[in-house]
Amino acid sequence: ADSNGTTAGTDSIAEATMVQSRRNVSFQGIELNLFSFGLMGAQRAAAINCGGGGLARCLGAGFGGIGGYGSCNTNQCGNTCGPRFGFGGLGGPLVRPCHGKVQILASHGFRWFQIDDTDILNFDVDGPAGFTGHDICDCTEIENNLFGYQFGSRLNYCLGNRINLNVGGNFGIYGNDIEQTHRLGTSFNLAELQAMPGVDIDFRSSDTVLATLGEIDFGVGYRVSNGITARFGYRLLGATGIATTAGFARDYSSSANASAIHADDSLLLHGLYVGSDLNW
């Protein structure tokens, strides 16, 4: 690479007096899941009435201590479990059965998940200290956009009429729309392929591949009202069929090889999450 525009071949990566490496990886996404009651099913709260006591009174003296479940069939509320005022009109929210503490739900949903990976290598070759426009930059950016359907389930263990422990997971098959850019050179001159003189190393390529994503989470739910439950917990997520800058080949034997996308990497993410459920 002739970084200063003088004699070709006088500047090269091997002559760099300083090398700077920077990498930034970011993740973001949106998912919408619809849950249905499976085993230990439920009924509409508005279809039944608990008089003036409401759901909290009916369940409050239940099995499991303060705020526990299971008392609704002990005649403390006249064998009824509904809130005094329904939620959601004639439908009302779904409430779990009045016996037992375990509830199993199934879910279906749509998810968009984005992985943006940028890798920048700067080489100081122009003589003056620091990095200027005459120094070499090897810049690669890869963006993965996963779109697709996911299926999951969740098991709730009710500690009370407001608090429950849950463990669940999702799995999906996605189309991964990948955009990749790669540029090698200075701010003023681009490197060329040695095997193809005149072809600059400044490529933009795209591809769509099959990817999979699965996750498992452990959490706690707090029932704020008849229709809203706040959740927080810890989630572990894994994905395959991903293109990353770490897997970029830098094969300059041809323009096809130099611009090729290699979506054969995988990743594992884990951390805390917060969220909410709307029950109607």
Side-chain angles (χ1 to χ4, degrees), residues 31 33 35 103-107 111 150-157 164-171 214-220 231-237 273:
E31 60 179 305
N33 297 306
F35 286 87
Q103 181 185 74
I104 299 176
L105 302 87
S107 68
R111 187 175 206 155
Q150 64 181 12
F151 169 80
S153 63
R154 186 169 71 203
L155 185 147
N156 290 337
Y157 180 80
N164 64 74
L165 301 178
N166 56 82
V167 56
N170 289 304
F171 177 80
E215 68 178 23
I216 184 171
D217 69 72
F218 305 88
V220 176
R231 298 193 178 278
F232 66 93
Y234 198 85
R235 175 176 292 180
L236 177 69
L237 181 151
Y273 73 89

Side-chain angles (χ1 to χ4, degrees), residues 12-59:
S12 69
I13 294 176
E15 297 173 359
T17 58
M18 183 182 297
V19 178
Q20 181 187 67
S21 176
R22 292 178 293 167
R23 188 183 183 193
N24 180 63
V25 185
S26 61
F27 308 90
Q28 57 184 338
I30 298 174
E31 60 179 305
L32 175 64
N33 297 306
L34 298 177
F35 286 87
S36 61
F37 289 89
L39 299 178
M40 307 300 293
Q43 56 185 325
R44 294 288 179 182
I48 43 183
N49 198 318
C50 200
L55 184 63
R57 194 191 78 174
C58 177
L59 299 179

Side-chain angles (χ1 to χ4, degrees), residues 23-251:
R23 188 183 183 193
N24 180 63
V25 185
S26 61
F27 308 90
Q28 57 184 338
I30 298 174
E31 60 179 305
L32 175 64
N33 297 306
L34 298 177
F35 286 87
S36 61
F37 289 89
L39 299 178
M40 307 300 293
Q43 56 185 325
R44 294 288 179 182
I48 43 183
N49 198 318
C50 200
L55 184 63
R57 194 191 78 174
C58 177
L59 299 179
F63 177 74
I66 298 176
Y69 281 107
S71 67
C72 297
N73 54 3
T74 61
N75 216 24
Q76 294 191 33
C77 291
N79 290 327
T80 59
C81 307
R84 181 179 180 182
F85 302 104
F87 175 83
L90 295 177
L94 287 168
V95 294
R96 63 183 301 280
C98 296
H99 54 81
K101 287 190 171 187
V102 178
Q103 181 185 74
I104 299 176
L105 302 87
S107 68
H108 302 267
F110 174 83
R111 187 175 206 155
W112 164 68
F113 188 66
Q114 184 184 80
I115 307 163
D116 194 356
D117 189 357
T118 303
D119 184 44
I120 300 175
L121 292 170
N122 290 315
F123 302 91
D124 187 358
V125 297
D126 66 346
F131 297 97
T132 67
H134 292 288
D135 292 316
I136 299 173
C137 180
D138 183 342
C139 306
T140 306
E141 182 177 2
I142 303 177
E143 183 180 277
N144 298 263
N145 285 285
L146 281 69
F147 301 89
Y149 160 84
Q150 64 181 12
F151 169 80
S153 63
R154 186 169 71 203
L155 185 147
N156 290 337
Y157 180 80
C158 302
L159 298 178
N161 69 323
R162 290 190 180 273
I163 300 177
N164 64 74
L165 301 178
N166 56 82
V167 56
N170 289 304
F171 177 80
I173 299 177
Y174 303 83
N176 184 8
D177 182 23
I178 305 172
E179 299 286 340
Q180 176 179 283
T181 62
H182 177 62
R183 184 183 188 278
L184 177 61
T186 70
S187 298
F188 310 101
N189 299 288
L190 289 169
E192 297 181 356
L193 293 178
Q194 185 175 7
M196 304 176 66
V199 178
D200 295 332
I201 302 179
D202 186 9
F203 299 104
R204 291 169 174 80
S205 50
S206 62
D207 195 7
T208 301
V209 301
L210 190 67
T212 59
L213 187 150
E215 68 178 23
I216 184 171
D217 69 72
F218 305 88
V220 176
Y222 180 80
R223 187 174 181 180
V224 180
S225 66
N226 286 337
I228 299 176
T229 299
R231 298 193 178 278
F232 66 93
Y234 198 85
R235 175 176 292 180
L236 177 69
L237 181 151
T240 62
I242 306 300
T244 68
T245 59
F248 182 66
R250 286 182 174 82
D251 182 353

